[in-house]
Amino acid sequence: MPECAERFNLPGDERNLMILGGPQYVFDYTNNYVLTDQPLMYQGQQVTYKQLETSDFTDINTLDVGADSEPANIMKGYHLGKYPSTPDDFDIRDRVSGNDIPIFRYADILLTKAECILRGASATRGDTPASLINQVRDCSSAPHISEGEVTMQELLDERGREFICEMWRRNDLIRFGQFENDWGWKHVVHPAAKTELWRRILPIPLGVMNTNTNWSQNEGY
């Protein structure tokens, strides 16, 4: 979504390279994924990802951008290149990603501690929210943040950069009180989402309900 891509805006931050927009070029996977000057081609034309707009949807109610067989549809919206794959991943392992999904990361521990301090917990070992965030930023050559710049929104944005595609965003938005905000096109498709606070808790799967009939479904489902 546009607001997601725009979050990757820190000067010199290597994480910005994960957001694939504009003309695309081939990466040399044998040389630490160095970007080459060879255009990435698809069906006879260079792949050029454009920012997603409302007019790009063939059906706004289903967020359908059209058949993948059409090159123009493939190029709608910026893409994510966080976990690049190798030819062997495709040909031998039948996978489209270069590694498994991370579960526990030290960066999450650091940013969680920063959040705890911002929410009122006592700091330990001389750590501050800025010093903890900067430890994470150092890994991607992102500029340091000063103590006066650290806010809950800045911390949420930092988590959005660091943990994109790691399935934390939903939890983070709920915890920071922004799950019902206007983001993406969800309020076009489902305007009531802004007030349905019960959606913060997921439904109990039907298979579980059928296995144990003593369970009651969560509110709203």
Side-chain angles (χ1 to χ4, degrees), residues 58-90:
T58 59
D59 185 352
I60 189 64
N61 293 314
T62 60
L63 302 180
D64 184 3
V65 296
D68 287 351
S69 58
E70 294 295 328
N73 293 334
I74 290 287
M75 300 182 200
K76 291 178 180 178
Y78 288 173
H79 286 220
L80 179 64
K82 185 166 187 174
Y83 302 123
S85 55
T86 68
D88 284 350
D89 290 319
F90 286 101

Side-chain angles (χ1 to χ4, degrees), residues 196-220:
E196 294 177 344
L197 304 186
W198 47 267
R199 290 193 181 275
R200 298 179 181 185
I201 300 177
L202 294 171
I204 301 174
L206 181 61
V208 174
M209 297 288 293
N210 290 339
T211 300
N212 188 342
T213 56
N214 293 320
W215 284 63
S216 297
Q217 184 56 272
N218 290 329
E219 176 187 354

